[in-house]
Amino acid sequence: MLARPLAVESVAPTNPLNETMMSRLARALGPQKGNSLASAILATMGIPCLETPQDLCDFSNHLIGYGGLAEAVGRSLKVMALLRSAIDRPIAARKDGTRTA
Amino acid sequence: MSFLHADYRKCLDASEQVSWALSSVVPPDSRLDFSKPFMPEAMFLAHGLDSLTSDEKLKLNQIFGRAYGYLFYFVEAYIVAATMEHARAELYGDEHALRALLRFTEEEVKHQQLFLKFGDLFERDFGSAVGLTDSPQEVASYILSKSPMAVLLVTLHLEIITQAHYVDAIKGHTGLDPLFVSLFKHHWLEEAQHAKLDVLELEKLRMGAATEQIETAIKEYVEILDAFGGLLARQAALDVTSLEAAMGKAFPEETRTQIEHAQTRSYYRAFLWYGLTNSLFQEYLAERFPSLLAQCGELAARFGQGRL
C-alpha cells in the first residue's frame, strides 16, 4: 500500500507548484529528508521557492543528480515541467538563480 | 454527458467496468464478411457516385474501412507516447490519476493491437493489396513536436470522433460486417473514458498557462489538423489505386478524380469535420478555449467540403 502524503513544514512561501514538489518529495523520501533536500536545492538555485514551470524543471535536474528515489521524483517532476512548456537546460547555466517565465 | 465534471476516480471505475480482452473481441477463428460493407453510408460519401457499380462501391467501402482502422492505429502511436508522459508526471502524486493514465496508455496499446489484428484479417481474405499511408513515426514525431496543450486538444478531438462515429453512424447498423461493428464498439467503450482524461489533463496544463501559450496551442492544433488533412488526402489517392487493383481494371481519369474527391471528403468529414462540429467538443471549447470555438465554423466548412 502506498503511504499517504504527509504534511511537510514548508521551507518557503506556498504556491501550487511548490506544494506539489514538496508533497512528492515527502511521499517518496519522508517529510524530513524531503524537506532538507528541497531546502538545499532551492538554496543552490538561489530562489526561495518554485514559482514557474522553468523553476520546476531546473529543480528537477538538480534532484535527478541525487540518484535513487530522489532521481525518480526528479524525472517525474521534470516531465510535469516540460508538459507545461519549460525548457530543459544544463544546471551550470542557471547558477545565477535567474527565472524564466 | 459533459466533459466538464469528469474526475479520475470515476474514469478509473468506468474503465474497469467496460474493460475487455483482445482475445475475446478477435478470437483466433475470426473472419470478416466481405459480402457486406464495413463503413456506414453516412460516412462513406462515394456511395452516391453514379460512375461506380454496386460491386465497386462495396470494394471501395471495404478499402475505406481498412484505412479507417489503420488510421486509428496510426494516431494511437503518438497518443501512447504522450499519455505515457502524463502518467509519468503523476508518480508520487494522485494515485487515481496515475492508475487512470496508466490504464489509458495500456488500452491505447491494446487498441493498436486490435487494429493490427483487423489488418491481418483483412489482408488474408480481401484478395488484393490495399495501399496505406506510411511513416506513422514521422506523423507521431510531428505531432509531438507541438506544445503538450495542442497535442492534448488534438487527442481530445480524436477521442470524441471515435465516440461520435460509433454512436451516430455505426451502432445498430445491421447491414454492416458484424466483426467490424464489434471492433469499433469495443474501441468506443474505452475511448469514452479517454476523452474525459484528456480534459482533466488539459485542465492541468491550461491552469497557470499564459495567454500566449494558450493561443500558441490553438494555432498548433489547427496546424496539426491541416497536416492530418494532407495525410488523409494521400490516403484517398491510395484508395483509388487500391480499388483498381481490387477490380482488376483502370478507371478513366475523370472517374479516378471523382473517387479521390469523394474519398477525401469522407476522410475529412470523419476525422476533422466530425470533431469540429461535435456538440460536446464545442461545449468544452466554449468553456475553456473560446477563441478556438470561434474558428471551428470556418474550419468545419473547409474540411466538410473536402479541401484544406
Side-chain angles (χ1 to χ4, degrees):
Chain A
M1 194 176 85
L2 290 170
R4 306 304 310 174
L6 299 169
V8 181
E9 282 184 34
S10 180
V11 293
T14 58
N15 64 59
L17 273 184
N18 210 65
E19 285 171 12
T20 298
M21 175 273 286
M22 294 302 296
S23 159
R24 304 248 179 134
L25 276 176
R27 195 165 194 178
L29 307 175
Q32 273 195 321
K33 193 171 177 189
N35 200 18
S36 68
L37 188 54
S39 299
I41 295 174
L42 288 171
T44 303
M45 292 171 67
I47 56 174
C49 70
L50 306 182
E51 288 185 0
T52 68
Q54 192 60 54
D55 289 342
L56 180 64
C57 187
D58 295 344
F59 182 93
S60 303
N61 277 331
H62 280 281
L63 202 52
I64 287 166
Y66 283 83
L69 278 177
E71 179 178 349
V73 179
R75 292 196 182 280
S76 171
L77 291 174
K78 183 170 170 177
V79 172
M80 181 189 283
L82 295 175
L83 287 172
R84 286 155 179 77
S85 302
I87 295 165
D88 192 15
R89 55 185 184 178
I91 290 172
R94 46 177 203 280
K95 283 281 169 65
D96 62 358
T98 53
R99 293 184 189 285
T100 304
Chain B
M1 184 176 74
S2 168
F3 293 127
L4 297 168
H5 306 293
D7 73 56
Y8 289 104
R9 186 194 288 255
K10 284 181 190 167
C11 288
L12 187 55
D13 289 346
S15 164
E16 288 178 335
Q17 282 170 17
V18 302
S19 183
W20 45 266
L22 198 54
S23 57
S24 64
V25 177
V26 192
D29 58 348
S30 297
R31 297 190 83 83
L32 294 160
D33 182 352
F34 287 98
S35 71
K36 294 183 171 172
F38 292 178
M39 300 297 292
E41 280 193 0
M43 296 174 67
F44 176 58
L45 303 182
H47 77 87
L49 288 181
D50 295 334
S51 49
L52 295 181
T53 66
S54 56
D55 280 353
E56 289 164 349
K57 286 178 189 174
L58 178 64
K59 285 285 186 191
L60 183 60
N61 180 301
Q62 291 164 351
I63 289 166
F64 182 31
R66 168 71 180 104
Y68 177 75
Y70 173 76
L71 286 163
F72 278 113
Y73 163 79
F74 204 98
V75 298
E76 276 162 358
Y78 96 79
I79 295 176
V80 168
T83 312
M84 284 280 284
E85 293 298 282
H86 286 270
R88 190 172 194 186
E90 275 302 332
L91 188 65
Y92 296 110
D94 179 334
E95 292 154 3
H96 291 108
L98 179 60
R99 284 188 62 205
L101 290 165
L102 288 171
R103 284 187 73 91
F104 181 166
T105 311
E106 190 272 336
E107 287 165 357
E108 291 293 10
V109 177
K110 185 173 69 178
H111 297 171
Q112 282 197 295
Q113 292 181 316
L114 178 75
F115 294 124
L116 282 176
K117 276 182 175 284
F118 164 62
D120 290 344
L121 294 176
F122 188 98
E123 283 165 23
R124 186 188 66 191
D125 295 332
F126 182 65
S128 63
V130 169
L132 299 167
T133 50
D134 55 5
S135 306
Q137 298 84 356
E138 277 179 31
V139 174
S141 178
Y142 173 77
I143 294 173
L144 293 173
S145 72
K146 304 296 183 184
S147 65
M149 216 183 321
V151 173
L152 269 176
L153 274 170
V154 171
T155 308
L156 175 63
H157 173 123
L158 292 170
E159 312 279 17
I160 283 175
I161 63 165
T162 63
Q163 296 177 58
H165 292 173
Y166 181 74
V167 173
D168 295 349
I170 299 175
K171 185 180 180 184
H173 199 311
T174 53
L176 305 178
D177 168 51
L179 178 57
F180 188 82
V181 171
S182 171
L183 298 183
F184 282 94
K185 174 188 173 183
H186 288 89
H187 186 231
W188 161 72
L189 281 171
E190 294 185 335
E191 294 293 338
Q193 281 65 252
H194 297 180
K196 292 173 186 166
L197 291 170
D198 293 332
V199 166
L200 288 164
E201 290 298 302
L202 260 172
E203 198 55 14
K204 287 182 188 169
L205 303 191
R206 199 187 63 86
M207 284 174 64
T211 307
E212 310 86 74
Q213 288 175 310
I214 293 173
E215 291 309 313
T216 298
I218 290 171
K219 182 172 80 61
E220 290 178 342
Y221 163 82
V222 176
E223 287 171 1
I224 295 171
L225 291 196
D226 278 334
F228 195 36
L231 181 141
L232 296 172
R234 288 200 293 282
Q235 183 58 54
L238 288 169
D239 289 357
V240 183
T241 307
S242 300
L243 179 61
E244 288 180 328
M247 302 311 298
K249 65 185 265 193
F251 291 105
E253 198 53 41
E254 187 184 347
T255 307
R256 294 187 102 255
T257 304
Q258 286 173 350
I259 299 168
E260 184 175 336
H261 183 60
Q263 285 298 95
T264 304
R265 283 188 63 215
S266 295
Y267 285 114
Y268 281 10
R269 278 180 62 87
F271 287 96
L272 306 171
W273 180 88
Y274 251 97
L276 291 162
T277 57
N278 181 273
S279 60
L280 284 175
F281 191 51
Q282 292 197 343
E283 178 198 50
Y284 172 72
L285 294 182
E287 193 70 30
R288 300 287 192 258
F289 293 88
S291 64
L292 176 54
L293 178 64
Q295 299 177 48
C296 279
E298 186 271 325
L299 288 168
R302 191 150 57 94
F303 292 130
Q305 289 163 18
R307 60 186 170 86
L308 280 176

